Amino acid sequence: MANEEQNSAGIMILAGIGVGVLTGVVVGLLLGRRNAKRTNDEITETVDELRSKAQHVLQELSESVTGLVEKSRQILEDADSSAEQSSSAA
C-alpha cells in the first residue's frame, strides 16, 4: 500500500511537471508569435518611414538639379547674347 501511494505521488509530480512544461510551451509559442508579429510590424513601419524619407530627399534633389540646370541654361543664354553683341559691335 505504501508502494502504491509512492507511485501515485510520483505520477502526480510527473503529471504536474508535464502540465507545467506544456503550459510553458503553449505560452511561449503564443508570445513568440505575438512578438514576431510585433517585430514584423515595427520593421515594416521603419521601412515605410525610410522609403518615405528617401522619396522626399530624392524629390528635393531632383528639384535642386532642375533648378541648377535652368540657372546654367540661363547663364549660357546670357553668355551667348553677350558674345553675339560683342561680335556685332566689333
Side-chain angles (χ1 to χ4, degrees):
M1 190 126 159
N3 202 11
E4 286 180 20
E5 287 176 12
Q6 285 179 346
N7 286 340
S8 283
I11 291 172
M12 293 298 281
I13 290 173
L14 288 176
I17 291 172
V19 168
V21 168
L22 185 60
T23 301
V25 168
V26 169
V27 168
L29 286 173
L30 290 174
L31 291 178
R33 286 185 184 155
R34 186 180 319 160
N35 287 336
K37 173 91 171 99
R38 188 180 310 144
T39 301
N40 188 29
D41 290 346
E42 288 175 359
I43 289 171
T44 301
E45 183 179 325
T46 301
V47 167
D48 289 344
E49 288 174 6
L50 290 174
R51 182 182 303 131
S52 176
K53 287 178 183 179
Q55 287 174 341
H56 182 71
V57 167
L58 288 174
Q59 181 65 32
E60 288 181 353
L61 182 61
S62 174
E63 291 170 2
S64 295
V65 168
T66 301
L68 288 173
V69 168
E70 289 174 8
K71 285 180 183 178
S72 298
R73 185 174 293 142
Q74 186 62 43
I75 290 170
L76 289 174
E77 287 175 3
D78 291 346
D80 268 351
S81 295
S82 294
E84 286 178 9
Q85 288 176 357
S86 294
S87 66
S88 297

